[in-house]
Amino acid sequence: MRHVYIIAPCLLLALPGYAQSGAPLETEFELESVTVVTPLSDADSEVDTETVLGELSLTGQSEKVLESGLRIRARGALRLQRDHPTRPGGTGGFGNDPLAATGAFSGLSPAPLITASDLRARLETAYLQVDGGYGEVRIGKDSGVANRFYEGAKSVLSHGRLDSSLLDPTGLSTVRTRNDLTGPSAKFSYASPRLIGVRAGVSFTPEADADGLDRRPASSASGLAPETQNAIELALNASRRFRDSGVRVDVGLGWASGDVPATALTPQYGSIESWSAGTRIEKDDWTFGASWLSSDNGLPESDYSAWSTGLHKEAYNTEFSAEYGESTDDGVGLDSQSWRIGAARQVTPDTRLAIAYLQDEIETPLRQQRSEGIVVEITLSQKIVRITGN
């Protein structure tokens, strides 16, 4: 399983020899860059607000549909990212104890600040997918079903968003309601067909050891990191549109659990369990979303919980959104509040521009920290190669 994320995408190359029938093999590559600029900011914090953060990603996908209707797909994503230097992959220290344990879900600890983080490149996605009448199977580097079935607030910011941010200009973003316990670690997932609007899924991850750009489940700020193993995820997603009113309701439920073996340096660890729920309600051009998560963090008296909510509106070819969220981490003694309000517009078919006002505030036993400012998020995306063949 350790090397399955390398082998799995290559298996699709054997398809033409295995079955020449059916639709042609289609392959495409897409290049995307996201830049988050914070031109104006005001902070009372131990860490500086980062003026420029960014990410460059190359995504490739090959797909073939057999005559039987079976769809076989291989997908990979290589990403290069510069995030806040004190919060790589969401991991962070908010104290002064160099021997502090890190929350197995939150990635937070009362350890000192991370002092250095270089530009990082990772193969974040590499999986093989088989999709047919009995459901969908994925194997390789990918998110688990508890994260994939997430429902919640819709934001005009894709990377600088409030909940589970991918790029964190302030270094103080700690709200995470996406039940992503294992990150992009190699795993096996099954998702059922959607029946009467309901879909179920399960994922199994032998070792949650990925050092991802957005999740680092086996890392820490202090060096005392969890080693989550045998993680199981269960999730449900339901979708229903009410024709009379035009309202659409989506609901996601997730549960994740795993073993966190204790060691001589980390005798506190044992096992971890996380629960999550969220909804998204759409009516005409309005969308309301809310989500919640609770985790025991794999440590005694170190529960982590978070919730967020938001409202989204489309008008005049422009998107508008407002978001608010809070989180607590008992192991760190941390309480946080965050909000975002902004607008976005598709300037050209390949260019999207978003501008928002943000504020992140956290309070720990040591001090209260706050950072606010204006962020501009520029997204450039383009399909660079598309090949159709047998």
Side-chain angles (χ1 to χ4, degrees), residues 132-200:
Y134 294 100
E136 169 197 288
V137 173
R138 291 187 185 182
I139 184 169
K141 286 178 67 70
D142 185 30
S143 296
V145 293
N147 181 31
R148 286 165 48 199
F149 286 14
Y150 166 86
E151 298 290 351
K154 193 174 179 181
S155 175
V156 298
L157 299 171
S158 65
H159 284 55
R161 64 195 184 207
L162 179 148
D163 196 323
S164 309
S165 62
L166 306 182
L167 294 174
D168 178 12
T170 68
L172 302 178
S173 179
T174 62
V175 177
R176 182 183 294 275
T177 66
R178 296 173 186 258
N179 203 343
D180 190 10
L181 175 62
T182 60
S185 304
K187 58 176 58 69
F188 170 88
S189 297
Y190 167 77
S192 73
R194 192 175 290 276
L195 301 175
I196 321 177
V198 179
R199 194 181 194 195

Side-chain angles (χ1 to χ4, degrees), residues 32-38 49-57 79-90 117-120 155 157-176 212-215 323 340 358 360 375-379:
E32 181 180 86
S33 69
V34 179
T35 305
V36 176
V37 182
T38 311
T49 300
E50 292 295 305
T51 304
V52 180
L53 300 175
E55 178 179 307
L56 182 66
S57 64
R79 295 165 57 195
L80 176 69
Q81 185 185 87
R82 181 184 184 273
D83 201 353
H84 198 287
T86 67
R87 298 296 308 284
S117 177
D118 296 330
L119 186 71
R120 300 194 301 148
S155 175
L157 299 171
S158 65
H159 284 55
R161 64 195 184 207
L162 179 148
D163 196 323
S164 309
S165 62
L166 306 182
L167 294 174
D168 178 12
T170 68
L172 302 178
S173 179
T174 62
V175 177
R176 182 183 294 275
L213 297 182
D214 310 318
R215 281 284 291 145
E323 310 161 75
R340 308 277 191 276
L358 64 78
D360 294 323
V375 295
V376 179
E377 186 176 271
I378 306 166
T379 303

Side-chain angles (χ1 to χ4, degrees), residues 18-134:
Y18 175 74
Q20 295 289 344
S21 58
L25 176 67
E26 296 186 352
T27 302
E28 64 180 26
F29 290 89
E30 182 175 358
L31 186 66
E32 181 180 86
S33 69
V34 179
T35 305
V36 176
V37 182
T38 311
L40 298 173
S41 63
D42 179 32
D44 178 13
S45 172
E46 293 180 330
V47 298
D48 295 329
T49 300
E50 292 295 305
T51 304
V52 180
L53 300 175
E55 178 179 307
L56 182 66
S57 64
L58 175 64
T59 303
Q61 177 175 294
S62 290
E63 182 177 290
K64 185 176 180 67
V65 180
L66 306 183
E67 282 189 346
S68 63
L70 192 70
R71 185 187 304 272
I72 303 179
R73 175 185 299 161
R75 184 176 178 85
L78 178 65
R79 295 165 57 195
L80 176 69
Q81 185 185 87
R82 181 184 184 273
D83 201 353
H84 198 287
T86 67
R87 298 296 308 284
T91 306
F94 291 91
N96 54 18
D97 181 1
L99 299 179
T102 297
F105 177 83
S106 69
L108 308 179
S109 77
L113 286 172
I114 297 174
T115 56
S117 177
D118 296 330
L119 186 71
R120 300 194 301 148
R122 297 290 186 273
L123 181 65
E124 285 282 297
T125 303
Y127 65 80
L128 179 71
Q129 174 181 320
V130 180
D131 194 356
Y134 294 100

Side-chain angles (χ1 to χ4, degrees), residues 105-344:
F105 177 83
S106 69
L108 308 179
S109 77
L113 286 172
I114 297 174
T115 56
S117 177
D118 296 330
L119 186 71
R120 300 194 301 148
R122 297 290 186 273
L123 181 65
E124 285 282 297
T125 303
Y127 65 80
L128 179 71
Q129 174 181 320
V130 180
D131 194 356
Y134 294 100
E136 169 197 288
V137 173
R138 291 187 185 182
I139 184 169
K141 286 178 67 70
D142 185 30
S143 296
V145 293
N147 181 31
R148 286 165 48 199
F149 286 14
Y150 166 86
E151 298 290 351
K154 193 174 179 181
S155 175
V156 298
L157 299 171
S158 65
H159 284 55
R161 64 195 184 207
L162 179 148
D163 196 323
S164 309
S165 62
L166 306 182
L167 294 174
D168 178 12
T170 68
L172 302 178
S173 179
T174 62
V175 177
R176 182 183 294 275
T177 66
R178 296 173 186 258
N179 203 343
D180 190 10
L181 175 62
T182 60
S185 304
K187 58 176 58 69
F188 170 88
S189 297
Y190 167 77
S192 73
R194 192 175 290 276
L195 301 175
I196 321 177
V198 179
R199 194 181 194 195
V202 58
S203 294
F204 175 69
T205 307
E207 294 186 29
D209 55 359
D211 184 21
L213 297 182
D214 310 318
R215 281 284 291 145
R216 306 175 72 205
S219 298
S220 72
S222 65
L224 302 183
E227 298 178 2
T228 306
Q229 301 174 357
N230 301 321
I232 298 175
E233 300 174 44
L234 301 176
L236 287 173
N237 184 276
S239 181
R240 176 70 183 274
R241 181 179 294 277
F242 299 90
R243 294 182 180 180
D244 293 341
S245 62
V247 173
R248 172 173 172 168
V249 179
D250 295 281
V251 176
L253 301 173
W255 172 82
S257 179
D259 301 324
V260 189
T263 66
L265 293 177
T266 58
Q268 310 97 315
Y269 290 115
S271 62
I272 183 172
E273 188 174 46
S274 301
W275 293 86
S276 60
T279 187
R280 181 175 290 183
I281 303 172
E282 299 180 7
K283 167 66 173 175
D284 298 328
D285 296 327
W286 291 91
T287 301
F288 168 78
S291 54
W292 161 90
L293 179 140
S294 179
S295 174
D296 60 20
N297 248 338
L299 294 166
E301 300 180 356
S302 297
D303 290 359
Y304 171 86
S305 63
W307 65 270
S308 68
T309 187
L311 194 62
H312 180 275
K313 165 74 172 175
E314 294 185 20
Y316 310 107
N317 296 320
T318 304
E319 299 177 51
F320 303 89
S321 70
E323 310 161 75
Y324 179 80
E326 297 184 359
S327 71
T328 62
D329 191 312
D330 294 340
V332 184
L334 178 147
D335 292 286
S336 79
Q337 303 86 36
S338 297
W339 59 270
R340 308 277 191 276
I341 183 169

